[in-house]
Amino acid sequence: MDSPPQPPSDEPVSIERAPPREPILTLPLALTAYVVLLALVHLRVLLPPELENWTIDVFGFIPKRYDSSLANLQIPGGAGAKVWSFFTYSLLHANLTHLAFNVLWLLPFGSALARRFGPVRFFLFLAVTAVAGALAHLVTHEHAVVPMIGASASVSGAMAAAIRFAFVRGSFLSFSRSDADTAAKVPALPLLRALRDRRIVGFLVVWFALNIIFGVGAIGVDSESAGVAWEAHIGGFFAGLLLFALFDPVPRVRSDAADASSQDISNGI
């Protein structure tokens, strides 16, 4: 026999709600601001050609500026450009493809680094690695008159810094990764320990091969002599790898603890 229908109850009924879906791609504010800045600076391509070329000459990095034997050579920007062009060249790009390559390379690594460092450290880190890339280019192209532009020295530095913690259990390249903020805050590997990790060594080999063979990134903008400034990439990369600890706010762990924490289910891959 069916039971009689129950009268409606005034008791509140709890309804389980499905957890909100996380966005596919969320960028920290510092990285978003940097990408927007690059895009706004790139609007210079809408300027008349003479003015656009002037901005490249004034804000691009030209090794010839520092050639003391050419005191009478007139390069737009004067003495001031000898200082600011160490930074400003990294905000300029030759074309939309050049900008897109750098932004796409930066998104995964720069996102983790921005979450870890916070805005001030993140922007300062990008500036320092840009300077390192410019110095590497200056040493290897001391008489070059073609301006170098592009953010790839900073992008390379961000990639190098990020691999110091990217493969640690719970981080963003780990198979057992946590949420984005937690993944960005795992303790980093000591440098010597990181350089013994075969996954990191494999990443380094692939990165150097791609830069030497294909050389996507910071380029000269002269239409006849444009080339890849891969030395700037390497300068930024080594700066990011070696100077990471100076910017990192996350406490270090002992070497033996780092060995244990870096073990991942990907260890046999």
Side-chain angles (χ1 to χ4, degrees):
M1 177 181 294
D2 294 336
S3 59
Q6 298 295 321
S9 173
D10 293 333
E11 294 294 325
V13 178
S14 61
I15 301 175
E16 293 188 3
R17 297 181 181 275
R21 294 184 179 181
E22 294 186 359
I24 296 176
L25 178 63
T26 57
L27 297 181
L29 182 59
L31 179 59
T32 302
Y34 181 67
V35 172
V36 169
L37 175 61
L38 294 180
L40 290 175
V41 170
H42 192 63
L43 293 178
R44 65 170 178 79
V45 299
L46 302 178
L47 296 172
E50 298 80 7
L51 189 54
E52 182 191 357
N53 291 335
W54 179 85
T55 61
I56 293 174
D57 289 338
V58 171
F59 298 106
F61 187 79
I62 305 175
K64 207 73 168 178
R65 292 189 206 274
Y66 310 93
D67 193 334
S68 58
S69 65
L70 298 174
N72 295 324
L73 181 65
Q74 297 298 319
I75 299 179
K82 290 184 177 182
V83 178
W84 65 58
S85 63
F86 273 96
F87 308 93
T88 54
Y89 83 93
S90 66
L91 302 177
L92 300 167
H93 290 83
N95 49 51
L96 192 57
T97 300
H98 185 204
L99 174 62
F101 266 120
N102 278 331
V103 169
L104 289 176
W105 274 104
L106 181 63
L107 289 182
F109 301 97
S111 180
L113 208 61
R115 293 177 191 278
R116 187 182 187 94
F117 283 177
V120 174
R121 283 188 176 94
F122 179 66
F123 288 123
L124 184 58
F125 180 84
L126 293 178
V128 168
T129 49
V131 171
L135 287 173
H137 185 69
L138 178 60
V139 169
T140 53
H141 297 78
E142 59 179 333
H143 300 300
V145 73
V146 177
M148 180 185 72
I149 60 176
S152 56
S154 295
V155 173
S156 298
M159 293 172 65
I163 65 170
R164 291 285 300 273
F165 61 91
F167 295 102
V168 176
R169 178 179 291 275
S171 193
F172 69 101
L173 289 184
S174 166
F175 279 91
S176 55
R177 65 164 295 172
S178 307
D179 63 272
D181 287 326
T182 303
K185 300 293 179 62
V186 299
L189 295 175
L191 180 58
L192 293 180
R193 170 65 184 87
L195 294 177
R196 294 198 302 269
D197 189 308
R198 57 186 175 182
R199 294 166 297 175
I200 293 177
V201 172
F203 182 93
L204 292 175
V205 170
V206 171
W207 185 87
F208 276 96
L210 287 174
N211 273 273
I212 292 173
I213 296 174
F214 299 104
V216 176
I219 60 174
V221 296
D222 183 275
S223 60
E224 296 182 356
S225 59
V228 176
W230 58 268
E231 297 91 346
H233 300 192
I234 294 175
F237 190 90
F238 274 113
L241 190 66
L242 298 175
L243 300 179
F244 167 78
L246 297 179
F247 292 86
D248 190 19
V250 180
R252 295 272 85 76
V253 294
R254 299 191 318 273
S255 180
D256 56 343
D259 286 347
S261 69
S262 65
Q263 297 302 315
D264 197 89
I265 60 175
S266 62
N267 198 41
I269 297 179

